[in-house]
Amino acid sequence: MAKLPQSCLSTAMVFFHKYFINVKGFKDKLDKYMTCLACIFISIKVCNQLMPLKEIISLFFKIYDKIAIDEKAIFEYSDMLCQLEFNVLNTIGFDLNIDLLPSTPTFNSQI
C-alpha cells in the first residue's frame, strides 16, 4: 500500500472541493471516485511525490473493487484519468497554488 504525505492528500482534497463547487454533480459512483483519483494524481505532481500512473490505478482498483486489473484495463483507465485530470485543471482554472496550514492529520494517509 502506498503512503502519501498528509500535505499531498490535503492538497488533493482542496482540488476536489474547488472542482466540486463548479460542477453540478457526477454521473455515477465510479465517476466520483475517478475524479477524486484525478485530484490525487494532480496533487502527487504538485507535491513532488511522483508515482507511476499504472501503480496509482492498480492501487485504486485494489481498494475500490478489491480486484487486480489487467494491462488493457489499466491503459483504458489511465486514458480516462488523464482526461479527467485536464477537466479538473480546466474547471479550477489551473490554479495550483494552495496554502496549507500545519495541522494534525485528519485521515489515514493510505491511498
Side-chain angles (χ1 to χ4, degrees):
M1 196 61 63
K3 289 202 177 229
L4 295 174
Q6 179 73 30
S7 61
C8 188
L9 293 175
S10 297
T11 302
M13 194 166 51
V14 171
F15 290 151
F16 186 78
H17 287 165
K18 283 180 162 184
Y19 176 78
F20 189 70
I21 287 171
N22 296 308
V23 296
K24 299 210 187 280
F26 298 102
K27 291 181 272 185
D28 55 11
K29 189 176 177 181
L30 180 64
D31 185 43
K32 176 174 56 175
Y33 285 121
M34 288 298 288
T35 303
C36 186
L37 187 61
C39 292
I40 292 171
F41 187 51
I42 294 166
S43 72
I44 285 172
K45 293 177 181 180
V46 168
C47 296
N48 292 324
Q49 301 291 326
L50 302 178
M51 290 174 64
L53 183 58
K54 179 180 176 179
E55 182 180 342
I56 295 168
I57 292 172
S58 295
L59 286 172
F60 170 73
F61 275 97
K62 284 180 186 174
I63 295 168
Y64 179 71
D65 276 341
K66 309 241 186 288
I67 59 169
I69 58 174
D70 61 349
E71 291 292 321
K72 184 178 179 186
I74 288 176
F75 180 75
E76 291 172 7
Y77 282 107
S78 64
D79 187 44
M80 180 192 306
L81 186 63
C82 289
Q83 290 174 357
L84 278 169
E85 176 190 17
F86 182 74
N87 188 18
V88 168
L89 287 170
N90 195 26
T91 302
I92 66 174
F94 288 87
D95 181 18
L96 302 176
N97 295 323
I98 294 180
D99 295 326
L100 295 175
L101 299 174
S103 63
T104 58
T106 54
F107 46 85
N108 191 354
S109 64
Q110 290 185 348
I111 178 172

